[in-house]
Amino acid sequence: MARAFLIVLDSVGCGGAPDAADFGDTGANTLAHIAQACAAGQAEVGRSGPLALPVLDGLGLGAAIRLASGAQTPGLQAVPSGRWGAATEVSRGKDTPSGHLELAGVPVPWEWTYFPKTTPAFPDALVEQVCALAGTQGILGNCHAAGIPIVQNLGPEHLRSGWPICYTSADSVFQIAAHEQAFGLQRLYDLCAELAPILHDMRVGRVIARPFSGDAQQGFARTGNRRDFAIAPPAPTLCDWVQAAGGRVLAVGKVGDIFSGQGIDEVHKGKDDMELYAHLLRLIDTAPPDSLTFCNFVEFDSLYGHPRDVAGYARALEQFDTVAGQALARLQPGDMVVFTADHGNDPTAPGTDHTRERVPVLVAGTGEGEIGHCAFADVAASIAAHLGVPAQGPGRSFLP
């Protein structure tokens, strides 16, 4: 019996991308800079001391960072007992869809469309289409923004006017924030679903529904009902390969949305990463033979990377390391687990956007040894080889 668990720690990059300068990210290194800040006593909020990740470092995390970038990794010096390496992306993006599609064996073959102007961000014709679909006289925002501050700033005006809050970032994305009760959650989903084909035709990667609740007196907070309307994969992915061979694909977090439901049998969501961790541990106990469990844990990125919260990012990594230990202790014979990431989001870098980086590849259940440098698509080919599934695309298995 063989099973595979592909666990994406959203934005947990390890530096060293050879084309980082093309993206304005020279020197970015999410993991190394967090480790260095912790060792220097610069990440003492809610935690203390050097970065402590004994489980992931035991698999080869520190070694993978050093391989990827040559950076110092204080606190992460274990001799690896797993299979480890660092993966380099070829798709021309540093975003969620590009990273996940390529990890699933399908590099993105096109250039994404972005909205480079910060204010106003969107062309008039697109704004008119949003207003027509929303039934409003205008939109709020129309700018580059981080999600939490823009909701706090424009929430009162949104409640007064009923206009949706629309914003973007350096990624190929169109985000719509709206109050769950006042605007309506289903109305927000319907608006995004109707707008998505228009933006996908423009090669914009995602339309994201960002519901929130609260009021001007108590403040506003995003809820756990986010939904991504992503462009469909351009070719069959690892998920489709597993399905075609008779296996089941179980998606945890936003994976089902990222792949537009293509190749997904079950979706397991939660209000936060803690709830998603519980799904992962349960599925390690219950996932059927020949299955792929594909997880994304987003809060490293959304709560700590974009807000540039080094201490918070370190806390989240240390918390997950405990979960990783619990996961490894529950594995069954024939299980393969891959811990990796989809891009970087260095909390010490300027700005609030993702950073172009290599990502660690840590594998449990298939022996030990250095993978070396590999491609994102090699992750899919290796999982397919473990499951005995025919692989497609450019990836090559790094399993012996």
Side-chain angles (χ1 to χ4, degrees), residues 266-277:
E266 298 178 15
V267 174
H268 303 268
K269 290 192 172 186
K271 66 180 184 298
D272 55 27
D273 276 0
M274 286 301 295
E275 196 167 306
L276 298 181
Y277 297 159

Side-chain angles (χ1 to χ4, degrees), residues 54-77:
V55 176
L56 295 176
D57 192 30
L59 289 175
L61 182 61
I65 301 168
R66 296 188 294 273
L67 171 69
S69 61
Q72 295 183 347
T73 59
L76 305 177
Q77 300 292 335

Side-chain angles (χ1 to χ4, degrees), residues 10-322:
D10 204 303
S11 87
V12 182
C14 57
D19 57 358
D22 296 344
F23 294 81
D25 294 325
T26 300
N29 195 324
T30 300
L31 281 164
H33 289 160
I34 292 170
Q36 292 162 13
C38 290
Q42 298 168 353
E44 297 290 300
V45 179
R47 61 165 309 282
S48 185
L51 186 63
L53 305 174
V55 176
L56 295 176
D57 192 30
L59 289 175
L61 182 61
I65 301 168
R66 296 188 294 273
L67 171 69
S69 61
Q72 295 183 347
T73 59
L76 305 177
Q77 300 292 335
V79 176
S81 61
R83 197 173 297 282
W84 59 276
T88 303
E89 186 174 12
V90 299
S91 300
R92 292 294 298 171
K94 52 179 181 177
D95 52 75
T96 294
S98 296
H100 282 75
L101 287 171
E102 195 165 330
L103 287 169
V106 181
V108 175
W110 55 66
E111 293 282 344
W112 295 108
T113 294
Y114 302 93
F115 300 104
K117 289 179 61 179
T118 56
T119 305
F122 308 121
D124 290 343
L126 179 57
V127 173
E128 291 174 3
Q129 288 176 304
V130 176
C131 292
L133 292 171
T136 60
Q137 296 301 307
I139 64 171
L140 301 175
N142 197 359
C143 61
H144 282 232
I148 295 173
I150 197 171
V151 166
Q152 296 294 345
N153 293 337
L154 296 180
E157 177 60 17
H158 168 72
L159 291 179
R160 188 195 66 78
S161 68
W163 293 4
I165 302 170
C166 302
Y167 60 103
T168 188
S169 68
D171 291 340
S172 179
V173 65
F174 190 99
Q175 305 195 67
I176 306 178
H179 197 279
E180 280 200 359
Q181 291 74 41
F183 190 88
L185 181 60
Q186 190 58 51
R187 181 185 174 198
L188 173 60
Y189 288 162
D190 290 344
L191 171 59
C192 292
E194 292 173 331
L195 186 62
I198 298 169
L199 285 158
H200 293 166
D201 285 346
M202 297 167 58
R203 294 300 190 212
V204 175
R206 286 178 294 166
V207 178
I208 304 180
R210 291 285 198 176
F212 64 93
S213 60
D215 56 41
Q217 289 71 40
Q218 301 297 320
F220 298 97
R222 296 197 297 200
T223 74
N225 292 319
R226 163 185 172 157
R227 184 174 295 178
D228 292 38
F229 297 80
I231 197 166
T237 71
L238 171 65
C239 303
D240 301 296
W241 310 344
V242 172
Q243 274 194 341
R248 292 183 63 78
V249 179
L250 318 176
V252 176
K254 62 180 183 177
V255 169
D257 290 344
I258 294 167
F259 289 87
S260 297
Q262 183 175 312
I264 306 297
D265 291 295
E266 298 178 15
V267 174
H268 303 268
K269 290 192 172 186
K271 66 180 184 298
D272 55 27
D273 276 0
M274 286 301 295
E275 196 167 306
L276 298 181
Y277 297 159
H279 284 315
L280 167 63
L281 296 176
R282 176 178 52 81
L283 290 171
I284 291 176
D285 292 339
T286 63
D290 306 316
S291 65
L292 167 66
T293 299
F294 195 161
C295 307
N296 172 281
F297 300 131
V298 72
E299 289 182 351
F300 304 101
D301 184 62
S302 62
L303 296 187
Y304 308 112
H306 289 300
R308 299 302 191 240
D309 181 352
V310 178
Y313 210 133
R315 289 196 310 272
L317 287 168
E318 290 172 338
Q319 181 183 61
F320 178 76
D321 195 73
T322 299

